[in-house]
Amino acid sequence: MSDPMIPPGQQPKTDDVNRAERPASGHAQQPSATKRSLGWLTSMNLAITLLVFLAIASVIGTVLKQNESFSNYLDQFGPFWFAVFRDLSLFDVYSATWFVAILLFLVASTSLCITRNTPSYLRDIRNFRLNAQEKSLRGFEHQSEMHSDREPEQLIEPTQSLLRQQGFKSRVKQRPGEILISGRKGGLNRIGYILTHLGIIVILLGGLLDSKMQLKLMNTLGMVKVETANIPVNEVPVGSKIPVGGLQAFRGNVNIPEGKWGDVAFIGLKDGYVVQELPFKVFVNKFKITHYDTGMPKSYMSNVTLTDKKTGVELTKTIEVNHPIHYMGYNIFQSSFGDGGTKLKMEAWQLAGKAGVAQPIDSAVFQKKPFDFDGKKYTLEFTDFRMYNINPVVGPDGLVHQKNYGPSITFKLRDAAGEAIEYQNYFFPIDFKGQQYFLSGVKRAIGGQQQFLYIPADSNGSIKTFMAYLGTLSDPERMQQIAAQLIGQVSDAAGKTDTTDSKLTQSASASIAQLIHLFVTQGFGAMKTQIDESLAKRNLKPDTVKQAEQASVSVVRSVLERAFIETLQQQGDKKEFTDKDAKFFDDAMDAISALPAYGAPIMVQPISFKQIQSTGLEITRAPGTLFVYIGSIMLVAGIFMLFYIHFRRQWILIKPEGSGARLLVAGSDIRKNLDFDKDFSDFCTELMTVTESKSKNDDKPTQT
C-alpha cells in the first residue's frame, strides 16, 4: 500500500523507491502466482460481478415461483423450456449448486479483503501520523499557511483546544526547530468498513446455512435417497425419510385435508422428494377460504391444533397468509390450498359399442377406478376438483369479461400400457351464443395444449338427448331400417314397388348404414374416404363423381336427420322440428365427428359432489435467520458509519519565523466532498483567531 501521508498524485515513483531492491538484470520483479490469485479474489471487479449474478438470480427466484412440482412447470412452460430451466436449476435457484458456489466465492473474497485491510485500518485509527514532514504537508490539496506574532510554544494550547472543540483528538510532537500538532476524528468510519464487510459475510453464511447444502451432501454420500413415486407416506422407504433433527435447516411442504393430521414435510430434491419427520402433529380443524365476486380466491386460513409428540401438549392456532406461526423452532406458513378428497357422484356414458348407456360411478379425488371395455383394461384416476373455473369470455359489448364456468373434475384415463390422457369435465352446461354445451377438456401430453369437446345440451339442460341419439346411430340394424324406410318412401313417391327395387333398397340401406357406422366410429373423414373409394370403382367422369359424392353425403345426412327426429320423439313425444332442434342436430354432428379423436370409450359426466378441502402448509426450520438479522444490523450500522461519519486528519506544523511563528495547516478527508472544503476553511479562520495569526495566502486558506 502507498504511504497515506503523501497525498494522491504525489506518491514517489517506483523507480526511486525500489531501485535498490531491483534485481541486477534490470527486469521488474513479477508478483507470484499466489499474490496474483489473492489480488484477483479480493478485487472489486470480482465482488461486483458476483453481486450482479446474485441480483439476477434473485430476480429469477422472485419472478419464477420456486419449489413447485415438475408437472406444474411442465404444464406452464412446455417440454423444451422446462428442460432448459430444470438443467439451470431455476426451479430452486437459492439452493442451486452454482448459486451456492457464488455465495462461497463472495464469502471468500470478502473475508480475504477484511483480513488484508483490517490490521492497517485499525493501525490507521490509532496512529496520529506524527512523522509528517513539511514537504508532504505542502502536497495536500487542503493546506494553508499563516503567521503569528506569538511564540511557537504559546500556540500549542489554543490549537489543541480548537481541535477538541471540533471533535478532534490531538497529539503534540516537538522536533528540533519545529512543533507538529496532529489531530484525527471519525475513526468509526474505518470501523464502518469492517462492520459492512462482516455484515455481508454473516448474511451470506446465514443464507448458506439455510440452503440445501446439507441435504445435497447427504444425498451425494448416500445417506438419503430421493423418492420419485407418488405414494402414501407410510409406503415411503426408510432411506428417503429424515428423522427429527436430521437436518439443521429445511423448507418443506405438506397438504392436509380438513379433519386429518400430518407429522411430516415433503422436501423437493432433484426430480423427487424426501420426507422430513416433525416432532409434532398438525391437525386441521377447519380450512376457510373467501372469494371475490369473480370467484377468484381472496384470502384463506387454517385453524390447526399442534401436538407435541413427546409431551402431548396441544396448542390451537389460526394460520393466515403472511401471518405464520412459530412452534418448537419451526415456522409454519399458509402457502396454498387444494382438494382434500372431494366425494364425487358421476355417470359414465358409453361412447362405443352399446353407446348411450350410462353407468353410475361413486368415487373421490385421489382415488382410482379400474374398468374393462371391449377386452381392454383401463383405470380412471381422479386427480382434482375445482369449485371455480374463471375464464375470459368476449361479451355482447365486444369486451373481454371473466366468467365462472362452475365446478369441474380433473381425471386421467390410463390404459394397460400405462399411457394416460387427462380430462377436465364440467358439472353444468356452459352457454355459448345462446346454446348450451357440456365441456370436456382433453390434454394428451404433459405440457400439451388443452382441447375441448362440445356436447350440446338439450332443452332440459341434460346430456341425455345427445347420448340417446348417439345410441341410435351406434345401432347398425336400426340405422339400416331407418335408411330403408326413407328409401322406401322415396320409391313409393316415384311409384316403384317391384322386387328389383326392393333388393336395391336393401343394398342401398346397408351401404348407408355402413357409412353411418364409419362416421360414428372413425369420423366424417373416414366416411368421405369410403364414398370416394366406392365412386372410384365406377369410372365416372370428374363432374359426375362430385355430384355423386354430394348426393351420397346428402342421403346420409337425411338418414341422420330422420334418426334424430325419431330420437326426439322417443325422448318426449316431439312432433315438430324447430330451428333450435336444427341447431342441436348440427352441434351433435360436430361432436360425434370429434368423438373418434376423444381418446376415451366413455364420457364421465359429474353429477354431484361433497367438497373436502385441504390446506397447503410450508414448514421451515431456518437457524440461519438469526445470522441474517445480525448481519443486516451490522450492515446497516456499517453503512451509516461509512456515509455519515467522516475520517479526517488535521496537521498544524509550527516553526519559528522572525519574532513570531509560521503555521502550516494541512487537512485530509477519506472522501472528497464539498463539506470538507467549507469545514477546512472555517477551521483555518478560527485558528487564525485563536492564534492571532494572519494568512499568508492572500488572506484566505488555499486549496491547491
Side-chain angles (χ1 to χ4, degrees), residues 284-300:
V284 180
N285 302 307
K286 183 67 178 176
F287 177 78
K288 182 180 179 181
I289 181 171
T290 58
H291 298 84
Y292 292 103
D293 294 338
T294 59
M296 296 296 291
K298 183 178 181 181
S299 64
Y300 43 95

Side-chain angles (χ1 to χ4, degrees), residues 344-346 360-364 367 369:
L344 302 170
K345 288 186 178 294
M346 299 157 286
I361 298 178
D362 290 343
S363 188
Q367 288 188 3
K369 281 285 184 179

Side-chain angles (χ1 to χ4, degrees), residues 244-245 247 250 276-280 325-332 619-622:
V244 176
L247 281 178
F250 69 87
Q276 170 65 58
E277 297 181 349
L278 303 174
F280 54 87
I325 60 175
H326 308 280
Y327 183 69
M328 296 180 65
Y330 296 79
N331 299 318
I332 307 175
I619 303 177
T620 67
R621 188 182 185 195

Side-chain angles (χ1 to χ4, degrees), residues 65-303:
K65 193 172 182 181
Q66 301 288 288
N67 297 306
E68 290 281 289
S69 65
F70 276 8
S71 59
N72 289 350
Y73 291 124
L74 195 54
D75 284 343
Q76 184 176 358
F77 300 110
F80 175 78
W81 287 110
F82 165 78
V84 173
F85 292 164
R86 180 196 59 196
D87 293 341
L88 293 175
S89 300
L90 298 186
F91 301 139
D92 191 8
V93 169
Y94 304 113
S95 296
T97 303
W98 56 266
F99 186 86
V100 173
I102 291 175
L103 291 182
L104 289 173
F105 261 104
L106 196 55
V107 168
S109 175
T110 310
S111 300
L112 287 173
C113 192
I114 289 182
T115 303
R116 186 180 68 175
N117 294 324
T118 296
S120 63
Y121 282 179
L122 293 178
R123 287 194 301 268
D124 199 27
I125 61 178
R126 293 194 302 266
N127 197 330
F128 281 88
R129 307 294 186 188
L130 291 171
N131 294 322
Q133 301 297 319
E134 181 176 354
K135 180 180 178 181
S136 63
L137 294 179
R138 290 189 179 279
F140 277 88
E141 179 181 358
H142 294 82
Q143 58 89 21
S144 180
E145 195 170 5
M146 57 192 73
H147 176 81
S148 174
D149 293 332
R150 300 172 64 179
E151 294 293 327
E153 288 76 7
Q154 297 176 351
L155 301 178
I156 296 175
E157 194 282 328
T159 301
Q160 283 192 293
S161 176
L162 177 61
L163 288 171
R164 282 195 301 271
Q165 291 176 14
Q166 297 198 1
F168 287 86
K169 294 181 179 180
S170 64
R171 295 289 186 273
V172 179
K173 185 174 183 178
Q174 296 190 6
R175 296 184 297 214
E178 62 183 20
I179 300 172
L180 180 65
I181 303 174
S182 176
R184 61 168 173 80
K185 71 174 182 178
L188 287 178
N189 176 276
R190 294 299 204 186
I191 300 297
Y193 169 88
I194 299 172
L195 268 182
T196 300
H197 287 70
L198 280 177
I200 293 174
I201 293 174
V202 173
I203 291 172
L204 294 177
L205 290 177
L208 289 170
L209 185 61
D210 286 347
S211 69
K212 289 184 180 177
M213 287 181 59
Q214 182 186 359
L215 181 58
K216 288 184 175 181
L217 183 61
M218 293 171 64
N219 178 243
T220 302
L221 298 176
M223 299 171 62
V224 63
K225 296 181 180 179
V226 177
E227 177 59 54
T228 57
N230 186 12
I231 55 179
V233 176
N234 56 4
E235 297 181 13
V236 174
V238 176
S240 298
K241 292 184 177 180
I242 302 175
V244 176
L247 281 178
Q248 295 303 313
F250 69 87
R251 181 180 298 272
N253 296 276
V254 62
N255 293 316
I256 307 175
E258 291 178 302
K260 303 290 184 180
W261 60 269
D263 62 349
V264 298
F266 295 88
I267 307 173
L269 184 62
K270 295 182 177 179
D271 57 347
Y273 62 90
V274 296
V275 176
Q276 170 65 58
E277 297 181 349
L278 303 174
F280 54 87
K281 293 182 178 181
V282 182
F283 183 86
V284 180
N285 302 307
K286 183 67 178 176
F287 177 78
K288 182 180 179 181
I289 181 171
T290 58
H291 298 84
Y292 292 103
D293 294 338
T294 59
M296 296 296 291
K298 183 178 181 181
S299 64
Y300 43 95
M301 62 189 69
S302 303
N303 182 264

